[in-house]
Amino acid sequence: MKYTTVTDPVAAGRELGDLAPVYEAVFAEPPYLEGPRDVAEFLERYQREHKTPGFRLVLARDGGELAGFAYGLPLASTTGWWSGFQDTDLPEEFTREDGHRTFVVMELAVLADRRGHGVGRALHTALLDGVTAERVTLTVRPEALAAAWYEHLGYLVVGLTQPWDGAPVYRSMIKPLRP
């Protein structure tokens, strides 16, 4: 397996054609059951996110074929990331962002036949390699197998969030990167 980190926005934009089928395959599975509209939303979101300063994309290729990918970016000071929590009031000091404090793992996807071989762990490690943020965050569906995997990696549950109207409930997680 060959892992490549992409930080150049132009190069990251060129990868979208390879990312889309992997995203579609992974998130068509339960519990996500995403369809064409969800894939279109992913494509639209990626077109904005890959231009964000600090954006990082890691690709896992096996013989030239994309087996998985992960990408993330720093949370901007204007982020709404910490809103939409259910039954949890997060202190202002916790939710304060400055564009450098928190790195968010937006997507991590590995094709089903490549799971269980360390690809996800390697993608996660490479994605955070060199990130200077104080902490990393992500959201995951509580019923997804990945939820327990992230806990195993040292992520702690912040609370449950429903980031937009009609969205499923996600488990918001955080992991310190430095003291």
Side-chain angles (χ1 to χ4, degrees):
M1 195 73 58
K2 180 181 179 191
Y3 296 90
T4 307
T5 301
V6 181
T7 57
D8 175 66
V10 174
R14 286 194 298 260
E15 297 294 343
L16 188 54
D18 285 347
L19 301 181
V22 172
Y23 180 93
E24 183 175 18
V26 169
F27 292 102
E29 299 171 12
Y32 312 103
L33 303 175
E34 291 189 3
R37 185 174 134 219
D38 301 292
V39 173
E41 288 172 359
F42 162 74
L43 297 172
E44 181 182 317
R45 188 169 35 93
Y46 184 85
Q47 291 287 13
R48 290 187 317 272
E49 291 171 341
H50 85 274
K51 297 172 187 168
T52 303
F55 175 90
R56 298 174 59 82
L57 168 68
V58 180
L59 307 166
R61 293 192 188 278
D62 187 7
E65 295 291 317
L66 192 62
F69 70 90
Y71 80 82
L73 49 107
L75 287 179
S77 60
T78 57
T79 187
W81 185 264
W82 302 113
S83 58
F85 278 81
Q86 301 177 345
D87 302 325
T88 304
D89 287 325
L90 298 173
E92 185 177 328
E93 176 52 33
F94 183 86
T95 63
R96 179 191 50 77
E97 295 297 343
D98 60 9
H100 304 285
R101 180 181 192 196
T102 308
F103 186 84
V104 58
V105 176
M106 293 300 296
E107 301 291 349
L108 193 154
V110 178
L111 292 172
D113 65 343
R114 308 301 171 82
R115 293 183 201 141
H117 302 286
V119 176
R121 181 180 293 275
L123 284 167
H124 183 267
T125 299
L127 182 64
L128 298 181
D129 185 38
V131 168
T132 59
E134 162 184 325
R135 60 193 187 174
V136 60
T137 188
L138 55 81
T139 59
V140 61
R141 298 272 294 268
E143 67 275 23
L145 293 175
W149 183 74
Y150 286 120
E151 286 187 38
H152 180 73
L153 291 180
Y155 283 84
L156 304 171
V157 176
V158 174
L160 298 177
T161 182
Q162 191 171 17
W164 65 90
D165 287 341
V169 172
Y170 290 89
R171 185 178 290 172
S172 178
M173 304 182 86
I174 196 162
K175 177 180 177 176
L177 292 178
R178 54 188 176 102

